[in-house]
C-alpha cells in the first residue's frame, strides 16, 4: 500500500507541476519497461541456471562455457551494441529488430551475474554433502532437486538482485539509440518505454520531464527490491542447511561426515586451486600474446602499405579519415585516468564506511537503507539530465567531466561498499574489544585490524567496480543532443568507439576499437586484480 501510494503521489505531483499531457502515459511506459526487464530476467535466469549447472558439474562444458562467459562479461556492453543492433535491424522486419536489440542488451547486462553466481554456488557445495547424497541414492533429478537447487538458491537470489539492477541501469541505453549508417547519416532507433521517455525528453530540452522519469524509474527499482528481492532473501535465510534437507536425522553420522569433509574437501580445494592457477596462467599468457600480436600486425599493415587487395581494404577501413587511429595510445590513458580518479574517490568513501561499520554500533541501521536507495538510482538515466543541467551554468568540458565523474562513481562505489562493509561487519566483536584493552586504537586499529580483514573483499569489490566502470565510460565520453550539429566529447577510448559508430558508421573500425578496449579490460582484470586477489587470499582475521 505504501508503494502504491508513493507511485500515485508521484504521478499526481507530476501531472500538477509538469502537466497532465506530459505524464499521462508514464504509467504505461513504466509497465512496458518493467515487463521488458522482467521477461529478459527470466530468460537470463533459465540460461544462467542451465549453463551454470552444466559448467559446474561437467568438466568438458566448463572448459568451453566459463572462458566464453568470462570474455563476454569483459567486453563493454555499449561498445558492441550498435553492431548487433545494425545486424538485427537488417535481419528482422521494421520494429522487431529494435525490440530484439533492446532485449539483447538487457540480456547481456543481466546474464553474467546469474551464470557466475550459479557456478560458484555449485562449486562450493561441500564434498561431504555430495558423498552423503551419493551414498543415500540421490542421483539425477533427485540430486538436482535436493542438493543443487537448495545450494544454488541463496547465491542465485544475490545474483538476481545485481542482475535486476543492472537491467534497469541499461534500460535507458537499450530503448533509445542513435548512430550513423554507412553513409554517415544519424538515425534514431527506439522502443516504447520509460527509458526512451527519459532520453527523448532530454533530447528535446525538457530537463524537468527527464528528471521526473528518472524519479519514477528509481522508485520502481527501490520498490521491487524491497517487495520482491529482500523478501525472497529473508525467506531463503530461514531455510535449513542443505545436509539436513537430504538426510534424515536418524541416518546422519556427524563424526563420519566431518572426517570425510576434512579429508575430501581439503584435497579437492588443493586440486582445484592448482588447476585454476595453471589454467589462468596459460589463458592470461595466451591472451596477452594474441593481443600484442594482433596490434603488431595491424600496426605493420597500417604503415607498410602492402599491395595486397584484401589487406588494403582492411587498412582503408580502419584508417578511414576521422577515425583517429593514431590517438589510441593517448586516449587510452585518458580513459584509464578518468576511471582511476573515480575509483580513488570510491575507495576513500568505502574505507571510511568500513571504519564506521566497525567502530559505530548503529552504523548498519542507517547504512543499508541508504545503500538500497543509492543502488536504486539508474545512473545511466541520470547522466544526460545531469549533464544538461550542469551545462547551463558551467563550461561544456567541465560539465561533461563532472557528469562523467559522477556516473563512474555511481557505477563503481556500490560494488566496493557492499563487499567491504559486509566484511567489516563480520569482524568478531571480541577482537575489537580485546584490541581496545591492549591499546590498539585510532589509526593503528585501522591499519593493523580493519584493513587486513577487509582486504580480500576490497580486491573483489575493486575487480567488479572496474568492470562496471568500463561498461559505462563509453556512455559519458560522447553526448549527441538534438539540435546540436556537433557532439560534446571527452578524449578517450569511448569517444573513439562512439565516433566510429555514431558519426562514421564504420563497422570494421567499431570492431577494432572494441577489440582494443576489451583487450585492455581483460588484461587489467587478469594481470592486476586477479593476481592481487590470489595474493591476499591468505590474509584473514580469526579470533580464538
Amino acid at each position: 500500500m505504501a508503494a502504491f501510494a508513493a507511485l500515485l503521489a508521484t504521478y499526481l505531483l507530476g501531472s500538477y507541476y509538469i502537466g497532465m499531457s506530459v505524464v499521462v502515459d508514464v504509467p504505461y511506459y513504466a509497465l512496458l519497461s518493467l515487463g521488458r526487464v522482467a521477461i529478459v530476467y527470466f530468460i537470463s535466469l533459465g540460461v544462467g541456471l542451465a549453463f551454470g549447472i552444466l559448467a559446474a558439474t561437467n568438466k568438458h562444458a566448463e572448459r568451453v562455457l566459463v572462458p566464453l562467459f568470462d570474455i563476454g562479461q569483459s567486453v563493454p556492453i555499449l561498445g558492441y551494441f550498435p553492431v548487433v543492433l545494425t545486424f538485427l535491424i537488417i535481419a528482422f522486419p521494421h520494429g522487431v529488430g529494435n525490440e530484439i536489440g533492446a532485449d539483447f542488451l538487457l540480456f547481456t547486462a543481466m546474464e553474467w551475474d546469474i551464470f557466475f553466481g550459479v557456478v560458484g554456488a555449485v562449486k562450493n557445495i561441500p564434498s561431504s554433502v555430495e558423498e552423503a547424497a551419493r551414498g543415500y541414492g540421490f542421483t539425477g533429478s533427485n540430486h538436482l532437486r535436493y542438493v543443487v537447487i537448495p545450494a544454488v538458491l541463496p547465491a542465485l537470489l544475490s545474483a538476481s538482485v545485481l542482475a535486476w539492477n543492472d537491467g534497469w541501469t541499461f534500460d535507458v541505453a537499450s530503448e533509445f539509440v542513435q548512430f550513423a549508417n554507412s553513409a554517415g547519416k544519424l538515425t534514431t532507433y527506439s522502443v516504447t518505454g520509460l527509458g526512451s521517455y527519459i532520453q527523448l525528453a532530454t533530447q528535446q530540452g525538457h530537463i524537468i520531464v527527464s528528471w521526473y522519469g528518472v524519479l519514477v524509474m528509481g522508485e520502481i527499482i527501490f520498490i521491487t527490491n524491497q517487495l520482491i528481492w529482500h523478501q525472497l532473501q529473508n525467506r531463503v535465510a530461514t531455510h535449513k542447511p542443505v545436509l539436513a534437507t537430504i538426510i534424515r536425522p536418524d541416518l546422519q553420522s556427524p563424526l563420519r561426515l566431518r572426517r570425510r569433509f576434512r579429508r575430501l574437501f581439503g584435497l579437492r580445494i588443493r586440486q582445484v586451486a592448482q588447476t585454476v592457477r595453471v589454467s589462468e596462467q596459460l589463458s592470461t599468457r595466451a591472451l596477452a600474446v594474441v593481443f600484442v600480436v594482433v596490434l603488431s600486425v595491424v600496426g605493420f599493415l597500417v604503415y607498410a602499405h602492402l599491395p595486397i587487395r584484401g589487406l588494403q581494404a582492411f587498412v582503408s577501413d580502419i584508417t578511414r579519415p576521422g577515425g583517429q587511429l593514431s590517438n589510441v595510445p593517448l586516449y587510452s590513458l585518458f580513459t584509464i585516468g578518468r576511471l582511476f580518479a573515480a575509483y580513488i574517490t570510491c575507495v576513500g568513501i568505502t574505507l571510511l564506511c568500513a571504519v564506521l561499520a566497525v567502530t559505530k554500533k548503529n552504523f548498519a541501521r542507517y547504512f543499508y537503507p541508504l545503500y538500497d536507495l543509492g543502488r536504486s538510482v539508474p545512473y545511466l538515466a541520470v547522466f544526460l539530465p545531469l549533464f544538461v543541467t550542469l551545462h547551463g551554468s558551467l563550461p561544456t568540458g567541465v560539465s561533461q567531466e563532472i557528469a562523467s565523474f559522477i556516473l563512474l562513481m555511481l557505477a563503481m562505489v556500490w560494488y566496493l561498499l557492499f563487499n567491504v562493509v559486509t566484511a567489516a561487519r563480520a569482524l568478531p566483536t571480541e577482537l575489537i574489544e580485546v584490541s581496545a584493552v591492549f591499546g590498539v586504537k585510532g589509526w593503528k586499529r585501522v591499519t593493523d585490524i580493519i584493513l587486513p580483514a577487509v582486504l580480500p573483499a576490497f580486491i573483489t569489490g575493486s575487480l567488479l567496480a572496474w568492470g562496471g566502470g568500463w561498461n559505462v565510460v563509453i556512455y559519458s565520453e560522447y553526448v549527441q543532443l538534438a539540435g546540436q550539429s556537433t557532439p560534446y566529447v571527452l578524449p578517450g577510448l569511448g569517444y573513439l568507439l562512439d565516433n566510429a559508430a555514431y558519426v562514421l558508421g564504420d563497422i570494421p573500425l567499431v570492431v577494432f576499437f572494441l577489440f582494443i578496449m576489451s583487450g585492455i579490460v581483460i588484461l587489467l582484470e587478469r594481470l592486476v586484480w586477479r593476481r592481487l586477489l590470489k595474493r591476499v587470499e591468505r590474509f584473514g582475521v580469526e579470533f580464538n
Side-chain angles (χ1 to χ4, degrees), residues 273-290:
Q274 293 173 359
T275 303
V276 169
R277 187 177 299 112
V278 172
S279 63
E280 285 197 357
Q281 287 176 354
L282 292 176
S283 62
T284 300
R285 292 172 183 172
L287 180 64
V289 170
V290 170

Side-chain angles (χ1 to χ4, degrees), residues 187-454:
T187 309
T188 300
Y189 301 94
S190 64
V191 294
T192 305
L194 193 57
S196 60
Y197 173 82
I198 296 171
Q199 289 276 57
L200 188 60
T202 306
Q203 293 288 333
Q204 295 176 349
H206 302 151
I207 304 304
I208 297 178
V209 178
S210 59
W211 279 117
Y212 175 77
V214 171
L215 175 62
V216 174
M217 184 177 287
E219 286 181 346
I220 293 174
I221 299 172
F222 181 78
I223 289 170
T224 51
N225 284 341
Q226 297 297 319
L227 296 185
I228 299 176
W229 300 116
H230 288 355
Q231 297 298 324
L232 289 175
Q233 286 178 317
N234 291 337
R235 289 194 177 190
V236 169
T238 62
H239 282 192
K240 295 181 180 180
V242 177
L243 188 61
T245 65
I246 66 172
I247 305 175
R248 298 198 309 270
D250 58 327
L251 296 179
Q252 293 181 15
S253 176
L255 181 59
R256 179 172 59 85
L257 291 177
R258 186 180 301 173
R259 288 174 179 172
R260 285 189 180 183
F261 173 82
R262 289 179 177 176
R263 184 175 67 256
L264 297 175
F265 188 61
L267 177 61
R268 179 179 295 183
I269 285 294
R270 288 193 295 272
Q271 292 175 342
V272 169
Q274 293 173 359
T275 303
V276 169
R277 187 177 299 112
V278 172
S279 63
E280 285 197 357
Q281 287 176 354
L282 292 176
S283 62
T284 300
R285 292 172 183 172
L287 180 64
V289 170
V290 170
F291 188 68
V292 172
V293 168
V294 170
L295 290 184
S296 301
V297 170
V298 170
F300 176 75
L301 293 176
V302 169
Y303 294 104
H305 300 292
L306 297 180
I308 303 175
R309 182 172 301 176
L311 295 180
Q312 286 178 333
F314 171 75
V315 172
S316 64
D317 278 336
I318 66 172
T319 58
R320 182 174 177 175
Q324 304 185 30
L325 187 64
S326 61
N327 289 328
V328 169
L330 180 61
Y331 280 22
S332 300
L333 293 178
F334 281 141
T335 297
I336 293 174
R338 200 168 284 119
L339 287 163
F340 186 74
Y343 170 73
I344 290 297
T345 306
C346 294
V347 168
I349 296 172
T350 301
L351 294 181
L352 176 62
C353 290
V355 174
L356 293 176
V358 174
T359 57
K360 303 296 181 182
K361 294 182 179 179
N362 295 327
F363 176 77
R365 181 184 301 176
Y366 303 102
F367 171 76
Y368 287 106
L370 291 176
Y371 177 86
D372 283 340
L373 284 173
R375 194 67 179 88
S376 300
V377 176
Y379 41 86
L380 278 185
V382 167
F383 172 73
L384 277 181
L386 178 63
F387 166 69
V388 175
T389 302
L390 294 174
H391 182 57
S393 56
L394 295 173
T396 301
V398 176
S399 60
Q400 191 171 357
E401 283 286 5
I402 294 175
S404 174
F405 178 78
I406 294 175
L407 173 65
L408 294 177
M409 274 193 58
L410 291 174
M412 289 179 159
V413 71
W414 311 118
Y415 297 106
L416 281 166
L417 278 175
F418 184 79
N419 283 278
V420 173
V421 171
T422 301
R425 293 191 68 241
L427 276 173
T429 55
E430 296 91 343
L431 181 62
I432 303 302
E433 294 172 357
V434 171
S435 66
V437 170
F438 285 97
V440 183
K441 299 180 180 179
W443 183 248
K444 189 171 181 60
R445 175 189 289 179
V446 174
T447 57
D448 293 354
I449 296 178
I450 298 177
L451 289 183
V454 303

